[in-house]
Each structure stands twice: as C-alpha cells, then as structure tokens.
Amino acid sequence: MENLKCKIQMPIPKSKAQNPKSKIAPAPLLVVGAVAFDSVRTPYGEAENILGGAATYLAVTASWFAPVRIVAVVGEDLGEEHIRVFQDRGIDTAGLVRAPGKTFRWSGEYAGDMNEARTLETQLNVFEQFSPTLPSSYLDSEFVFLGNIDPVLQLHVRRQLPQARLTGLDSMNYWIKGKPEELKKALAEVDILVINETEARMLSGISNLKKAAEVLRKMGPRSLVIKRGEHGVALFSEGGVFFAPAFPLDEVHDPTGAGDSFAGGFMGYLAKAGELSEGHLRRAVIYGSVMASFAVEEFGLSRLLRLTRREIESRFRGFKTLTHFDV
Amino acid sequence: MENLKCKIQMPIPKSKAQNPKSKIAPAPLLVVGAVAFDSVRTPYGEAENILGGAATYLAVTASWFAPVRIVAVVGEDLGEEHIRVFQDRGIDTAGLVRAPGKTFRWSGEYAGDMNEARTLETQLNVFEQFSPTLPSSYLDSEFVFLGNIDPVLQLHVRRQLPQARLTGLDSMNYWIKGKPEELKKALAEVDILVINETEARMLSGISNLKKAAEVLRKMGPRSLVIKRGEHGVALFSEGGVFFAPAFPLDEVHDPTGAGDSFAGGFMGYLAKAGELSEGHLRRAVIYGSVMASFAVEEFGLSRLLRLTRREIESRFRGFKTLTHFDV
C-alpha cells in the first residue's frame, strides 16, 4: 500500500457483531469504500464534520449480522474516538489505513422531498491515492461488498480475494459516465449489483425497469437490487422479481448513508445466512430496508449506534405487515 | 338534466358482470366521469379517436367484479358500436346521456419513462354542460365512485345518493389548484380518496407521505389510496399502511386509463366484498393493481376487453409472489 504512514491495529472485541441466535458463527463480510467526514444540511437541521462515508455506513449496519472487515483510508485528522466507533461494533480495522493528510470530506444538502442530495463540496484528500493492498488476515474473505468507489479499485480489491463466494458492488452515475468500460469489467466479476433506479436506467440504456434488469444481469451479476429511494427496493434474481417498500417514517432527518445502510444490512444478513437462496435474498432485502429506515431517522450514525436487536426485529416484522395480504 | 337530447336505454344483459363464485349477488357500483374519444401517441405507436375517458375505464374494469351503473354524457358522434362496449360488459347505461354536439376529446403523448402524459389538446364539447340528474333506477346505489371531474359535480352526484355506504373519489392538480374549497367540500362526504402521489402532496401541502396521508384523511375520507405510477400504490387506512408494487411488465404500450382502471378494479372488488374491512381493502388494492397492469399492456381498452377471469386471478396470485417473504 503506497503512501501510507501506518496501519491502525486494534483488538477486535468478541461477539458484539454476532447474532446470539445463530448456531455457527457467521462468515466475515469485507467492505471497502470511503470513510469520510460529512457536513450535511437538511430541513431538520445541520451537522458538521461527522463520521460518514460508504464504508462506515456499510460496516456499522452489517455488524449487526456478521463480523465485518473494513478497508478504507483515513487521514491524520481521524481521531481515536472515531476509530472507537468501529471498535465498539466489533469491526475489524486491520484494513483501515492512515495516510498523510486529511480524511475525505463531503458536504451536501437536501431539500424538498429529500430524495437526492445536492453536493456542495467534495475534498478527496487522502482518497486520491487510495489503492488498497489487503492485510493478509482478510484474504480468506468469502463475503465481500465493494462500496461505491472507482471501479478500477473495486476490481483491484476483488482480485485479491480468491475465496470470495459472494461479492456485491455499488456504483453511481459518476463512474457510469466516466469509466463505463472499467465498471463493466468489475461487474463481470461480481454476484450482486446494488444500484439506484436512475443509475440502473443509465447503465443499461433502457427505461423499462424489467428489461433494464435483464441487461444488467447479463453484464455479470446474477442478482440485482435496484434502490428506489422512498419507493423502496426491487430485487431481480433467478427466483423472479421481489419488491419491498421503504418504511413509512414521520420524519426523515438525514438521508445520507441510506443506500449504504441498505447494502450493509443486506450483505450482512447474506453473510450470516451463508448462501444465496431466494428466501435469504428476500429477507436480506428487508433487513437492508430496515437498516436504511433507521439510518435516516437521525443525522449521521446516531440512530444506528444506539439500535437494539429488538428494534431491528420489530421493524422487520413491521415490513411484513406493510405488504401482507391474504390470497 | 339540461340540454340533453335523449337518454340511451339499453337492455342489461344478465350475469356477465357477476362473479360465479360469490353466493349473493354483489351490490351495484355507480361510477361517474368522462366518456371520451382519446388520441394517444406513445413510443409503441399511436391510436386515434378510441373510446376512453375515466368513466369508461372505471366501468369496464369494475364490471369484472360487480354490476356497474355508469353516469356520463356523450355526443352525437358516439355510435352504437361504442355503446355495445358497455353493453357487452353488462354495464347499466341508464345514466349515459346523449347531448347535442361532440363527445369530449383528449389527445396526449407519452415519452421517456411514460410516467406522465403530455396533453396536446382537450375539447370539452358536451362535457361543458354536464350536470347529471341520476335516473331513478340508480338512486339506491350503495357503492359509488366519483371519477376525476369538477368537484362541484362530484358533490352534486354524491348528494343524489342518500343510500351510499361507500363512496370513492378521484381528483387531480387541475381541481386542487382551481377549486380547492369545492374539492374539500366533496372530500368531507366521501369514504375513500384515490389520488396521485404528487397530487397528494399538493392537496395536503406536505412532502412527507405519511404526514400528508394524515392530513388528507382528516379532510374526510377514512381511507386513502395514493397512486405512485410505476412505483405502485400506498393505502393508508384505520388498519395502518399497506404498499403494493406495480406489476413489472416488459412493455407498457399505453398508460392512458391506468389510474381509472386501478380505481375500477379497487371499487368493483369492494362492492363485491360488500364491506370495508382491512383484508378486503388490501385485496381491493391488489385487484386494482391487476386491472391497471392489464390496461397498459395495449392501447385503449383492447387488453381489458379480452381479459379472462383466469388471467385476473393468475395475476392476483402473481402479486403475492412479488412481495412475499417468510419472517
């Protein structure tokens, strides 16, 4: 790993991340993406320089279901109190490396229906030089989620993991437009694509969602999850099509991290389940939706960090009530 | 009824509209709205001067579930072949009146994701003088759907029906902006509001859908159905919130009439069920979604007129598969 000062080594607290109900320990999930400081303004208030980034939301939400290994770069300004956020959730930080300079920073605001952020500023900082060589302790990872970063880096990480059984990938319009060929190469080597509705249409070039899904699945991933914001999620897989609504909330205080929290809950549950059956996939979509619904209730990680298992399971059952009807 | 030449009297064929499975005959559903000639252009082709209008789609789709009584005005240009469309579905046309002049005409086109029509031309024609006095044979109607017309007319119809047990109402941005007080008066006298997502936000003045639903339900209707186009339908009622997806189709040839077909299936099923329990409401939402999904498969009424009971029931079960997961 070039340009890096030191690796952050932390003891991994046992059992925090594990589900007391499961008989065998779930396989670890490796997540890669940005760790960032976010400044966010919404109609409900604002927050400055709070811990965020795709890898952060992915790791924190997935840690409710399986042990998590994080891969990201941080600057000298990331303090012990931030590292402790990961540590307290039992997240393995062997792949969290510190580089000279400042941590990635993003600021944005949400208005109106808050379905889309308006980015005010992006400072890549240490992220500009990010090209992770994984710690040897990560190389046996079987479950992997490649958060929304340069597809060249996504592929670079994927290729260091010969034992990966299930790899998910997120991307965005920036890479679809800027690096379409690289993204297609990465897509050819993953099992699940998690992507926004608009971006699904952009990447496939097709407006009809069902046809777009067929085209995207032919690019590599056998399962496709299309995130539709307040309209929920659509899953296209070998088992057919599955729709989940978004949980109806009285107030969405901060949508930042909703998509990554979805992906964290989704992939964390699949790592815990250990396989990609249709039943597991559908429940994973619901657990992902549960985690996203909690994420947006407060600014940043606040709500996610004081969740309880009981709250998660209760909202999971709430989703059943939202869609159930008798034939 | 002023300015009307004659009422169109037709024998009502028996049994066509009735469900062979039900033990007692369903109560008739009265629907009011426009009968129109539509000219439509979509990426899949175009059609000129085909039979359409809210009342037409409402009546034809509802007729699969319950006997239907239609209230609308038509011009001298509406031929026997058009009347026969209603007659063949067992629809009572005692409230279909012919006035001097031309039938209401609408032309529009759909592009891109086809979620919204661009209106090219509207000719009100005979509709301008529409102020229906209901035939005496309609006055015992217990189930009523007030299609999207002037709220003054909606209330005028509602007040002629003292025995109405369950009244649904549809509206649109045009009336929300143009006749908000009249619309609120009509809303105070109905049980169910069926409305588009954007219009729900406009009418309530609230962006958050759950809060918007609370405000709208306080205006009168105890149940609220929010139509979200390709994102399905949300039902807000005493029993909580229920979400149904839109059926994923390979091709949407013509979205015209989707909302009215939804409402027709929805209200038709409720008339058949005879009561407003949560279970019936949810199944009604699904049957409405089934009818809307068929409506858009072809231009105008084509698909709806060659449906079979088996196709309807099969797609109903398909909706179960689309949303089912095991807890």
Side-chain angles (χ1 to χ4, degrees):
Chain A
M1 206 174 284
E2 298 91 27
N3 306 319
L4 296 177
K5 219 173 173 178
C6 64
K7 294 200 179 186
I8 297 162
Q9 295 293 354
M10 288 275 171
I12 307 158
K14 275 180 201 157
S15 80
K16 276 247 182 179
Q18 299 186 15
N19 180 349
K21 277 190 191 167
S22 69
K23 281 155 204 154
I24 51 161
L29 169 71
L30 181 149
V31 301
V32 59
V35 166
F37 285 120
D38 290 341
S39 294
V40 185
R41 199 184 307 149
T42 84
Y44 289 93
E46 52 189 312
E48 285 214 6
N49 297 320
I50 53 173
L51 185 61
T56 303
Y57 283 101
L58 284 164
V60 167
T61 49
S63 72
W64 280 97
F65 304 93
V68 176
R69 298 164 168 174
I70 192 170
V71 179
V73 61
V74 299
E76 294 153 319
D77 51 355
L78 195 102
E80 284 307 307
E81 71 277 21
H82 301 119
I83 304 293
R84 213 169 299 124
V85 169
F86 298 110
Q87 189 184 22
D88 287 351
R89 290 295 318 148
I91 295 158
D92 187 341
T93 56
L96 197 63
V97 291
R98 202 185 287 279
K102 286 169 77 181
T103 299
F104 177 72
R105 275 164 204 265
W106 175 82
S107 69
E109 65 177 3
Y110 299 85
D113 64 6
M114 300 210 286
N115 266 332
E116 210 166 345
R118 189 166 77 88
T119 292
L120 300 172
E121 196 188 5
T122 304
Q123 290 178 22
L124 287 177
N125 300 329
V126 294
F127 213 77
E128 267 182 292
Q129 305 292 330
F130 186 49
S131 181
T133 299
L134 303 182
S136 58
S137 63
Y138 279 19
L139 300 181
D140 63 349
S141 299
E142 297 179 14
F143 294 86
V144 179
F145 194 79
L146 309 169
N148 175 18
I149 52 174
D150 188 329
V152 174
L153 292 184
Q154 290 178 317
L155 201 53
H156 176 65
V157 170
R158 175 65 187 83
R159 288 190 171 162
Q160 294 174 64
L161 297 165
Q163 294 181 49
R165 285 202 289 136
L166 193 64
T167 304
L169 179 147
D170 188 8
S171 196
M172 70 185 294
N173 49 7
Y174 183 80
W175 307 117
I176 295 168
K177 280 182 200 156
K179 297 199 174 179
E181 292 314 312
E182 292 83 348
L183 179 56
K184 280 175 190 166
K185 269 186 205 163
L187 280 178
E189 300 197 21
V190 304
D191 307 286
I192 306 175
L193 171 62
V194 178
I195 196 167
N196 284 344
E197 186 163 23
T198 315
E199 290 157 359
R201 294 196 160 113
M202 190 188 289
L203 181 57
S204 65
I206 292 171
S207 176
N208 177 287
L209 211 62
K210 198 178 163 201
K211 284 190 173 171
E214 280 168 29
V215 167
L216 294 175
R217 290 181 62 213
K218 280 188 185 141
M219 291 181 183
R222 61 193 148 128
S223 300
L224 168 68
V225 176
I226 297 183
K227 297 177 286 184
R228 313 169 104 187
E230 64 163 338
H231 296 111
V233 170
L235 164 72
F236 294 85
S237 67
E238 283 148 32
V241 192
F242 174 63
F243 290 106
F247 197 81
L249 295 168
D250 275 327
E251 290 177 349
V252 170
H253 281 217
D254 174 15
T256 312
D260 300 312
S261 297
F262 170 84
F266 174 77
M267 281 299 299
Y269 179 79
L270 287 177
K272 179 187 150 193
E275 53 161 39
L276 198 64
S277 73
E278 181 66 17
H280 286 320
L281 263 175
R282 290 181 171 213
R283 279 187 295 279
V285 163
I286 301 297
Y287 276 112
S289 305
V290 165
M291 300 314 277
S293 75
F294 282 120
V296 303
E297 285 186 352
E298 296 176 16
F299 277 77
L301 297 168
S302 314
R303 186 69 183 93
L304 295 174
L305 294 180
R306 54 177 184 73
L307 268 179
T308 64
R309 169 71 51 195
R310 186 188 291 262
E311 287 175 322
I312 294 171
E313 296 305 332
S314 164
R315 191 159 289 182
F316 181 87
R317 289 188 302 273
F319 268 90
K320 186 74 187 173
T321 311
L322 282 178
T323 56
H324 181 77
F325 64 96
D326 292 311
V327 175
Chain B
M1 204 175 284
E2 299 89 28
N3 306 317
L4 295 175
K5 218 168 167 179
C6 64
K7 295 198 180 188
I8 298 161
Q9 296 292 355
M10 286 275 168
I12 307 159
K14 274 181 203 160
S15 81
K16 274 246 180 176
Q18 300 188 14
N19 180 351
K21 277 189 191 168
S22 68
K23 280 155 206 156
I24 51 162
L29 170 70
L30 180 150
V31 301
V32 58
V35 166
F37 284 120
D38 290 340
S39 294
V40 185
R41 200 183 307 147
T42 84
Y44 289 92
E46 53 190 309
E48 286 210 8
N49 296 321
I50 53 172
L51 186 61
T56 304
Y57 283 100
L58 283 164
V60 167
T61 49
S63 72
W64 280 95
F65 303 93
V68 177
R69 299 165 168 175
I70 192 170
V71 179
V73 60
V74 299
E76 294 154 318
D77 49 356
L78 195 102
E80 284 307 305
E81 69 278 23
H82 302 120
I83 305 291
R84 212 170 298 123
V85 169
F86 297 109
Q87 189 183 24
D88 286 351
R89 291 292 319 145
I91 295 160
D92 186 341
T93 55
L96 198 64
V97 290
R98 202 185 290 276
K102 285 169 77 182
T103 299
F104 177 71
R105 276 162 204 264
W106 174 82
S107 69
E109 64 177 1
Y110 299 84
D113 63 7
M114 299 208 287
N115 266 332
E116 211 165 345
R118 189 165 79 87
T119 292
L120 300 173
E121 196 189 5
T122 303
Q123 291 178 23
L124 286 178
N125 300 331
V126 292
F127 213 75
E128 267 180 290
Q129 306 293 332
F130 186 49
S131 179
T133 299
L134 304 183
S136 58
S137 62
Y138 280 18
L139 299 182
D140 62 350
S141 298
E142 297 179 14
F143 295 86
V144 178
F145 194 78
L146 309 169
N148 175 18
I149 52 174
D150 188 328
V152 173
L153 291 186
Q154 290 178 318
L155 201 53
H156 176 65
V157 171
R158 173 67 187 81
R159 289 191 170 162
Q160 295 173 62
L161 298 164
Q163 294 182 50
R165 283 202 291 135
L166 194 65
T167 305
L169 178 148
D170 188 7
S171 195
M172 71 184 295
N173 50 8
Y174 183 80
W175 306 116
I176 296 170
K177 280 183 201 155
K179 298 201 174 179
E181 292 316 311
E182 292 84 347
L183 179 56
K184 279 173 194 169
K185 268 186 207 162
L187 280 178
E189 301 197 22
V190 305
D191 306 285
I192 306 174
L193 171 62
V194 178
I195 196 169
N196 283 345
E197 187 163 21
T198 314
E199 290 155 0
R201 293 197 160 110
M202 189 187 291
L203 181 56
S204 64
I206 291 172
S207 177
N208 177 288
L209 210 63
K210 201 179 159 199
K211 284 191 174 173
E214 281 168 29
V215 168
L216 294 175
R217 289 181 62 213
K218 279 186 188 141
M219 291 181 184
R222 61 193 149 132
S223 300
L224 168 67
V225 176
I226 297 182
K227 299 177 283 182
R228 313 169 102 187
E230 63 163 339
H231 296 113
V233 169
L235 164 72
F236 294 84
S237 66
E238 282 148 34
V241 191
F242 173 63
F243 289 107
F247 197 82
L249 296 167
D250 276 328
E251 289 175 349
V252 170
H253 282 217
D254 175 13
T256 312
D260 300 312
S261 298
F262 169 86
F266 173 78
M267 280 300 298
Y269 179 78
L270 286 178
K272 179 185 149 191
E275 53 162 38
L276 199 65
S277 73
E278 181 66 17
H280 286 320
L281 263 175
R282 290 182 170 212
R283 279 188 294 279
V285 163
I286 300 299
Y287 276 112
S289 305
V290 164
M291 300 313 277
S293 76
F294 283 120
V296 302
E297 285 185 354
E298 295 176 16
F299 277 77
L301 297 168
S302 314
R303 185 68 181 93
L304 294 174
L305 293 180
R306 55 176 183 74
L307 268 179
T308 64
R309 170 70 50 192
R310 186 188 292 261
E311 287 175 319
I312 293 171
E313 296 305 331
S314 164
R315 190 159 290 183
F316 181 87
R317 290 188 302 273
F319 268 90
K320 186 75 187 169
T321 312
L322 282 178
T323 56
H324 180 78
F325 64 97
D326 292 311
V327 176

